[in-house]
Amino acid sequence: LVCVATSSAMPADGDTSISDMKNTLAEYGLMLEQVNRRLIKKGGAAFYLLQECDCRIVISITLTNMKGRAMSHFVAWDGNEIFDRPHTSRVSEIKDRANHKASKLSFAKLYPRTDYKSWQITSVFQLA
């Protein structure tokens, strides 16, 4: 039910804003709490995010396409998988969480250099 509501809140054209999602989630008694200070640290947020093993996190990512256009994008992280509709990426307990480089590769698999110039984690929210 919540998935249908959040999908319906996405604009037909352009980027979905976090405020769109906050308003929709509030209708179901849920809220997004920004946790940047805890998870965006020197060395890269990907590593610190993947250390979270039992969580409900929404990650804001800026994707830059091959034409140089930056786009706002959101994925979910539950401590085991990165959910990026329609794809998911299962994270290895040992390999993907081992170090900063391996953690970045977990996200890079979703955004290959053949499709995107770059990706950057810009904000992190915990579902409460």
Side-chain angles (χ1 to χ4, degrees):
L1 195 58
V2 174
C3 185
V4 172
T6 55
S7 293
S8 297
M10 294 179 188
D13 212 19
D15 298 332
T16 302
S17 73
I18 199 67
S19 61
D20 290 333
M21 291 299 103
K22 283 183 174 182
N23 293 337
T24 301
L25 291 169
E27 294 174 18
Y28 295 90
L30 301 168
M31 60 182 274
L32 290 174
E33 173 189 350
Q34 193 170 38
V35 291
N36 288 352
R37 284 190 178 154
R38 183 166 57 96
L39 295 170
I40 297 182
K41 299 180 183 179
K42 187 176 181 176
F47 176 76
Y48 298 102
L49 279 162
L50 296 192
Q51 303 314 304
E52 298 286 314
C53 296
D54 184 20
C55 56
R56 300 185 308 171
I57 291 178
V58 175
I59 305 165
S60 175
I61 299 174
T62 298
L63 299 174
T64 304
N65 68 14
M66 299 310 281
K67 294 179 181 179
R69 180 177 178 256
M71 302 166 282
S72 181
H73 186 68
F74 295 94
V75 299
W77 167 242
D78 70 356
N80 295 301
E81 293 180 273
I82 302 167
F83 297 89
D84 186 5
R85 193 173 174 194
H87 308 286
T88 60
S89 179
R90 187 139 188 79
V91 172
S92 166
E93 285 287 323
I94 298 168
K95 186 180 97 178
D96 295 334
R97 300 175 199 246
N99 56 51
H100 294 274
K101 184 177 179 181
S103 297
K104 286 179 184 177
L105 287 174
S106 295
F107 284 88
K109 287 187 281 186
L110 292 167
Y111 314 112
R113 291 250 183 220
T114 54
D115 298 333
Y116 301 96
K117 279 187 176 180
S118 66
W119 60 270
Q120 180 181 6
I121 295 171
T122 54
S123 293
V124 183
F125 302 86
Q126 186 166 332
L127 187 62

